[in-house]
Amino acid sequence: MKTILPWILAVVFAAGAGALYFSKASADAELAKARTQAQQADALQSQLDDAQKQVASQTEQIASLQQGNAELLRLRNQVRQLTDEKQQMAKQVQSAQAQAERTEAQMQQQADRTAEKAKAMAEQQILQMKQTQQATMNCINNLRILQAAKQQWAVQNNKPQDATPSPLDISPFLPGQAMPECPGGGRYTLNAVGVAPTCSIPGHVMQ
């Protein structure tokens, strides 16, 4: 029994040492695994931090792009508004030019009509003046004919210069043996032989 006991103790001791060895080896493996996992966790955390930084950077870039797009849209709206205003102003200018051209044409037509009326009035006045002058000259000629007829009547009838003949007295000495008529509608007065006959219209005076 005494001989076997040391062997039993040796076996137990060896078993305990083996168990302790295997337990330590397992602990070392677990520790190494934990260290590896910790390193992986640190790497993942680092990657996560980098990803968050990238996301933040991309968010800032997106915000900047959105702001740039908003500014671009605002500028485009301003350009479109300015273009619309320019087109509207161009239409207004064209309308004003057309209105000015129409007004100018109307004024020119009015001026032409006024000039035509003035020309017609001037021609009418000139014609009236000529007709008046012609009527005056014809009337003066009639007065001369009447005076000549009076002189012939006085000579043939031995009448003095203060004698006043009647139209019937001088009719034989008149063209057509009839009293002439004033072209202007005036009335003749024979007067005495020594006095020139007169017309009732002013200006119809024998020179």
Side-chain angles (χ1 to χ4, degrees):
M1 187 68 179
K2 291 181 180 178
T3 303
I4 297 172
L5 181 61
W7 288 101
I8 294 171
L9 291 173
V11 170
V12 171
F13 179 77
L20 181 62
Y21 175 78
F22 286 113
S23 176
K24 182 179 180 183
S26 177
D28 291 339
E30 291 293 332
L31 180 59
K33 184 178 179 181
R35 288 177 179 174
T36 302
Q37 290 179 350
Q39 292 177 353
Q40 291 178 351
D42 291 339
L44 290 175
Q45 183 64 41
S46 178
Q47 292 177 359
L48 179 61
D49 292 339
D50 292 340
Q52 289 179 347
K53 290 180 181 178
Q54 291 179 358
V55 169
S57 177
Q58 291 177 355
T59 303
E60 292 179 356
Q61 291 178 357
I62 291 173
S64 178
L65 289 174
Q66 289 177 345
Q67 184 177 2
N69 288 334
E71 183 66 17
L72 180 61
L73 290 175
R74 186 182 67 82
L75 292 175
R76 285 179 177 177
N77 289 331
Q78 288 182 352
V79 170
R80 182 166 51 251
Q81 184 177 1
L82 291 174
T83 302
D84 294 340
E85 291 178 355
K86 181 179 179 181
Q87 292 177 352
Q88 185 176 3
M89 289 181 64
K91 291 180 180 179
Q92 291 177 354
V93 170
Q94 291 177 353
S95 178
Q97 289 178 347
Q99 181 64 32
E101 291 176 356
R102 287 194 296 269
T103 302
E104 184 179 359
Q106 291 175 356
M107 291 178 64
Q108 185 62 41
Q109 291 177 356
Q110 184 65 28
D112 292 341
R113 287 194 294 267
T114 302
E116 290 177 357
K117 289 181 179 179
K119 181 179 179 181
M121 290 178 63
E123 291 176 350
Q124 182 66 25
Q125 290 177 354
I126 292 173
L127 180 61
Q128 290 178 353
M129 289 177 60
K130 289 181 178 180
Q131 291 176 347
T132 300
Q133 291 176 353
Q134 187 62 41
T136 301
M137 292 177 60
N138 292 338
C139 181
I140 292 173
N141 288 333
N142 289 340
L143 293 176
R144 290 173 178 168
I145 291 172
L146 291 175
Q147 180 63 19
K150 287 196 308 178
Q151 292 291 343
Q152 291 179 5
W153 171 78
V155 170
Q156 288 190 6
N157 294 283
N158 295 321
K159 298 293 184 180
Q161 292 294 309
D162 56 355
T164 301
S166 66
L168 184 61
D169 292 335
I170 64 172
S171 61
F173 307 100
L174 296 173
Q177 297 184 355
M179 283 285 293
E181 294 181 358
C182 175
R187 296 187 305 275
Y188 291 135
T189 300
L190 292 178
N191 296 323
V193 175
V195 179
T198 57
C199 178
S200 60
I201 296 179
H204 289 193
V205 179
M206 188 178 71
Q207 300 297 329

